Amino acid sequence: MRRRTFLSTLTAAGIVTTFRPTIGAAQQRSSKLDLPSLLAVTEVPAISVSGMIRGKPVQHFAGVRAVSDRVPITPDTYFPAASLTKPVFAWAVRNLIRQGKLELTRPLQDYADLGLSGDARRITAEHVLTHSTGLPNWRFQLDKPLAAEFTPGSRWQYSGEGIFLLQRVVERIVGVPIGTYMKRTVLQPLGMTASTFAWSPELQAKAASGHDRRANALERSSVFYEQRNYGVITKADLQPESALYEQIVGAYEKAKAQPLPIAMSPNMAGSLWTTAVDYPKFLKAVLSDIPQRTPDYRARMRVNPKIAWSLGWGVDESFRRPSYFHWGDGPGFKNFAWVQPETRTALVFFTNGDHGQAAYSWAFRALVGADPASLAWI
């Protein structure tokens, strides 16, 4: 889609307001934040920004759920959180550790038969949450063993496979489906009543659609893979949110499809669906949790001179005090979350285009007035 056509689409949809304050927020506009122009330049159909800056609530919205229907996004529009799921899962894991049900430094293989061998048998929850397992991000063939490429704990390497292994261990410990457990122990207590780890056709009616770098509808976006997973599981008379790992594997085998972790959902590495209303509730909880449980947020694994990793969060050391970040990168969607305790700032950015990183980076700099290393590193 050409920029001129895309800008016309935004105009026709009536997307002219760049700032929609939360209840009680000051009615003000930022001269630096021209979101419709930003979307036209980056060719991203929509951007949603929500949370707080220096303790004051903010919400900014512009664009459409899909260029095909021109429906404006709202605070209730669903977005796939993608890897912004991981910090939410880490929250649950740390709760289990505090309850004494899971040991941070005990090998996961001690809790469940995960089929690991060699150095991979040494992988612990700490390795998983700091992305130092040595495992690849994702595998695409089941006939090859899941092996560590280096000694666990020796260096950083992002891995969704590691998160999925820990998900299986958590499910074994708590004895209920992971989707059900996360809803009861994390989403509901935090008031995230609109969020879910299991996509459904009903959810899609209120969700954004994914687009490529030129704002064309992306056929195989995150939604495509969620729909396929939903079809496999429901055909076996199961529901994703209430199905155990072994049941989901059985459904895939029955459908003669490979039960690859990257394709399966619920998936604590990336299957959360949430809104601009819900996800900031989690960020607010994190903001309050950091000073109470400082050891959980200390830098444990060094990535480079400015970036490290804690138990579930990236640590950005660009400024006087540490800030915490994570990104969410799925086909057709690019997201970013930022928590800075020193300034009482906690923000989440959702976009529905493959060029979304450029959009949220520009919006972040305009809103926060800072240029952290994490935006350049992601």
Side-chain angles (χ1 to χ4, degrees):
M1 177 176 286
R2 298 181 64 83
R3 284 182 174 83
R4 183 175 300 174
T5 305
F6 183 54
L7 184 57
S8 297
T9 298
L10 291 176
T11 303
I15 310 304
V16 295
T17 301
T18 63
F19 180 58
R20 299 181 187 179
T22 53
I23 296 175
Q27 296 282 340
Q28 57 180 307
R29 292 174 182 269
S30 170
S31 59
K32 297 180 180 179
L33 197 63
D34 181 2
L35 291 184
S37 294
L38 170 64
L39 296 182
V41 170
T42 58
E43 296 184 273
V44 174
I47 185 169
S48 164
V49 188
S50 188
M52 68 173 70
I53 298 176
R54 297 175 184 87
K56 296 182 179 180
V58 293
Q59 284 188 342
H60 299 251
F61 304 98
V64 293
R65 296 191 317 199
V67 294
S68 59
D69 61 24
R70 302 183 180 183
V71 176
I73 64 165
T74 70
D76 299 319
T77 298
Y78 278 96
F79 284 87
S83 286
L84 293 189
T85 305
K86 292 181 175 73
V88 181
F89 179 55
W91 180 274
V93 172
R94 292 190 296 110
N95 282 339
L96 283 177
I97 292 170
R98 285 193 294 273
Q99 295 168 25
K101 297 179 180 179
L102 174 67
E103 293 181 30
L104 186 63
T105 57
R106 183 179 176 183
L108 299 185
Q109 189 72 18
D110 288 355
Y111 293 94
D113 183 6
L114 303 173
L116 302 176
S117 60
D119 278 350
R121 293 183 63 87
R122 301 167 56 183
I123 292 171
T124 67
E126 182 174 21
H127 296 145
V128 169
L129 296 181
T130 58
H131 291 287
S132 57
T133 61
L135 299 175
N137 188 16
W138 293 109
R139 55 178 163 164
F140 297 92
Q141 292 179 307
L142 289 176
D143 57 351
K144 294 183 179 180
L146 187 57
E149 298 172 4
F150 53 82
T151 302
S154 62
R155 61 187 175 89
W156 188 89
Q157 178 171 283
Y158 196 72
S159 177
E161 289 283 352
I163 297 290
F164 199 81
L165 290 177
L166 184 53
Q167 167 184 331
R168 290 173 58 189
V169 167
V170 168
E171 189 174 82
R172 178 65 61 87
I173 290 172
V174 300
V176 296
I178 192 67
T180 301
Y181 179 75
M182 291 296 294
K183 182 177 181 179
R184 291 176 182 173
T185 63
V186 179
L187 298 184
Q188 290 179 346
L190 292 178
M192 298 173 67
T193 55
S195 299
T196 178
F197 291 92
W199 178 92
S200 68
E202 294 76 21
L203 177 151
Q204 190 57 43
K206 298 186 290 183
S209 298
H211 301 77
D212 65 16
R213 291 176 66 88
R214 291 294 173 261
N216 299 304
L218 190 62
E219 180 182 355
R220 296 202 169 192
S221 70
S222 299
V223 179
F224 172 85
Y225 297 102
E226 290 280 13
Q227 287 176 324
R228 188 166 63 176
N229 176 80
Y230 182 86
V232 168
I233 294 176
T234 55
K235 191 174 181 179
D237 294 324
L238 300 168
Q239 289 299 317
E241 190 174 62
S242 58
L244 292 163
Y245 166 76
E246 289 81 5
Q247 293 175 313
I248 296 174
V249 169
Y252 270 82
E253 291 174 344
K254 184 177 181 180
K256 297 183 178 179
Q258 283 201 89
L260 288 165
I262 190 174
M264 297 166 66
S265 178
N267 191 322
M268 295 305 105
S271 73
L272 177 67
W273 283 79
T274 189
T275 69
V277 172
D278 262 19
Y279 202 84
K281 296 175 182 176
F282 169 63
L283 296 184
K284 184 178 180 181
V286 171
L287 200 59
S288 298
D289 193 55
I290 291 172
Q292 297 178 38
R293 299 188 173 92
T294 303
D296 288 356
Y297 297 90
R298 68 174 175 84
R300 293 169 181 257
M301 179 54 57
R302 178 61 49 186
V303 180
N304 61 45
K306 293 293 184 182
I307 304 294
W309 222 262
S310 65
L311 296 179
W313 284 95
V315 184
D316 190 315
E317 298 174 342
S318 300
F319 311 112
R320 185 176 65 175
R321 300 281 179 83
S323 304
Y324 302 90
F325 73 95
H326 213 293
W327 69 93
D329 188 339
F333 299 91
K334 301 291 179 280
N335 313 316
F336 183 70
W338 174 264
V339 178
Q340 190 175 48
E342 186 178 20
T343 60
R344 298 288 298 170
T345 296
L347 291 170
V348 63
F349 299 75
F350 294 119
T351 74
N352 61 340
D354 274 338
H355 210 196
Q357 183 181 348
Y360 71 62
S361 295
W362 186 94
F364 179 97
R365 295 180 183 111
L367 283 167
V368 181
D371 193 9
S374 48
L375 289 180
W377 174 74
I378 293 173

